[in-house]
Amino acid sequence: MSLNADLICEILKRVDGTTLANAGCASSLLRSAAREEHIWEELCSSLWPSTKNAEVKSLIFALGGFWKFYTDCFPMVVNRERVSIIHCNIEFSKSEQLRSDYCDKELHNVSPSDFVSLVDVHYRDKVIYSKILWGIPCADDFHGWFSNCPFSIDVISIFDRGENNEGQANISSADGLPQITSLERERKDGKLWRELWNNIRLSWILVNTREKQAVNLASWSPLGGQKHWPTDKDFLIHFGTILPAHKILPFGIVQCILVMKCRISDDGVGNGSYTNLKLTELAMQLEDMGGSHVNGRNSLVILKRALSCHRTMNYSNVLESYHQYLKAQNELKDEKMKTESLIDTLCTLGGIAAFVICCFLVL
């Protein structure tokens, strides 16, 4: 017994993207049904609510449709090159003038207005925040302060919220958030921290309207963070990926950091329970191997290159690349400290030698 095309489409609407793609390899009938644009549109809309916007839909069709958009943005970016202190030192030895000339050449083909950010935050498979940014905020003075100051895209700011915190993402006990009766107990057992780490997800899709390409710069699951920072009620969570920066920065590699800050608040009843969580900060930053923030000029070139980076469906590959980066970064810091210690020792010995020589001459 064969199934008609309409029934097949209804079935395929209820599967995830991986299953849908695999179904297209089974037979010609399934292949035809699996390439139906409206199926991929519904899949993208459920995964990324920001794509429901009419202008964003037009943009996605200009990129090649929802099927292509999903295949570009669902996989995570991964740096395939093995990061090591030797590799970083080789990149560092390259001429600063060569890097500057390369960036000047690339900047002719990229502008802050070329980028669109589609940001969606999930908690326990429920969308709690969604926003679209056209262009890069505060980048009007491209050849002035933006070009030389640390690069940052702030999705949530004080201007997004009204007097009653309207527009701010909230998670409550109704969403599955565990109730915290004591901050002191939370510091010890970290129940809320584990809940956030295991269940909060971030997607940050960057679209280049000029190149007609898109990439998801988020790692979906957190890569790092700090609990109770800078206050007992704040949680700092890091997502992101490692991006290549050959010919752009001294060490040839950067970390794209997506910073999410959450703050817990009481239930408003006055019984001392903490049952609400508010998303107070969400931003993108680029940081080089030395721990310095990358400026706007170089960041635009790096983000443009990120559009064609390797992708993976395996989170462990992303995690491995991240740990390699941290290891090389720590080795670089140790090497720098040893060099500085050696210089200090030589300076001290030189001072002692000079003092002895002066004493000898005086005598």
Side-chain angles (χ1 to χ4, degrees), residues 1-14 33:
M1 183 178 67
S2 61
L3 300 176
N4 61 47
D6 292 336
L7 182 55
I8 290 176
C9 286
E10 286 300 318
I11 295 173
L12 293 180
K13 285 180 182 179
R14 291 162 171 77

Side-chain angles (χ1 to χ4, degrees), residues 101-301:
D101 292 343
Y102 176 81
C103 286
D104 289 339
K105 180 180 177 181
E106 290 295 313
L107 284 172
H108 290 298
N109 302 315
V110 63
S111 167
S113 59
D114 294 340
F115 294 100
V116 179
S117 292
L118 310 178
V119 183
D120 297 285
V121 182
H122 295 72
Y123 176 74
R124 288 184 175 268
D125 299 325
K126 176 185 177 182
V127 178
I128 62 170
Y129 186 80
S130 185
K131 188 166 184 178
I132 305 165
L133 287 179
W134 299 89
I136 297 178
C138 304
D140 299 332
D141 189 15
F142 174 65
H143 296 288
W145 69 267
F146 173 80
S147 179
N148 299 304
C149 288
F151 172 83
S152 180
I153 300 179
D154 297 312
V155 175
I156 297 179
S157 68
I158 58 174
F159 302 106
D160 295 326
R161 305 187 293 272
E163 295 181 359
N164 298 320
N165 287 331
E166 296 177 357
Q168 194 175 41
N170 294 281
I171 309 173
S172 66
S173 55
D175 301 315
L177 192 73
Q179 184 175 346
I180 305 301
T181 57
S182 168
L183 289 177
E184 183 65 30
R185 181 177 297 177
E186 167 59 25
R187 279 195 295 269
K188 292 179 180 179
D189 60 28
K191 183 179 179 181
L192 181 57
W193 173 254
R194 290 195 302 272
E195 175 68 21
L196 284 176
W197 187 272
N198 293 328
N199 295 294
I200 201 160
R201 300 290 180 263
L202 171 66
S203 170
W204 191 311
I205 296 174
L206 193 70
V207 182
N208 188 302
T209 56
R210 184 184 303 192
E211 300 290 331
K212 291 184 169 40
Q213 290 179 291
V215 64
N216 198 334
L217 295 176
S219 52
W220 276 100
S221 297
L223 292 176
Q226 289 178 275
K227 54 183 178 179
H228 310 300
W229 187 92
T231 70
D232 287 342
K233 296 183 178 181
D234 291 300
F235 297 89
L236 194 65
I237 305 174
H238 290 165
F239 300 81
T241 188
I242 306 302
L243 300 175
H246 308 299
K247 300 181 181 180
I248 304 172
L249 293 177
F251 297 108
I253 195 166
V254 299
Q255 181 184 3
C256 176
I257 306 174
L258 306 179
V259 182
M260 178 187 295
K261 184 181 287 186
C262 304
R263 170 166 291 186
I264 55 176
S265 59
D266 58 40
D267 53 12
V269 179
N271 60 6
S273 297
Y274 297 88
T275 57
N276 295 309
L277 192 73
K278 295 180 180 180
L279 190 63
T280 58
E281 183 180 331
L282 188 56
M284 176 194 294
Q285 302 165 355
L286 296 183
E287 185 180 281
D288 67 13
M289 184 67 76
S292 301
H293 290 291
V294 183
N295 62 32
R297 173 178 176 270
N298 292 334
S299 294
L300 288 182
V301 181

Side-chain angles (χ1 to χ4, degrees), residues 343-362:
I343 292 174
D344 290 341
T345 301
L346 292 175
C347 289
T348 302
L349 293 175
I352 294 173
F355 177 76
V356 171
I357 291 174
C358 289
C359 291
F360 178 78
L361 292 176
V362 170

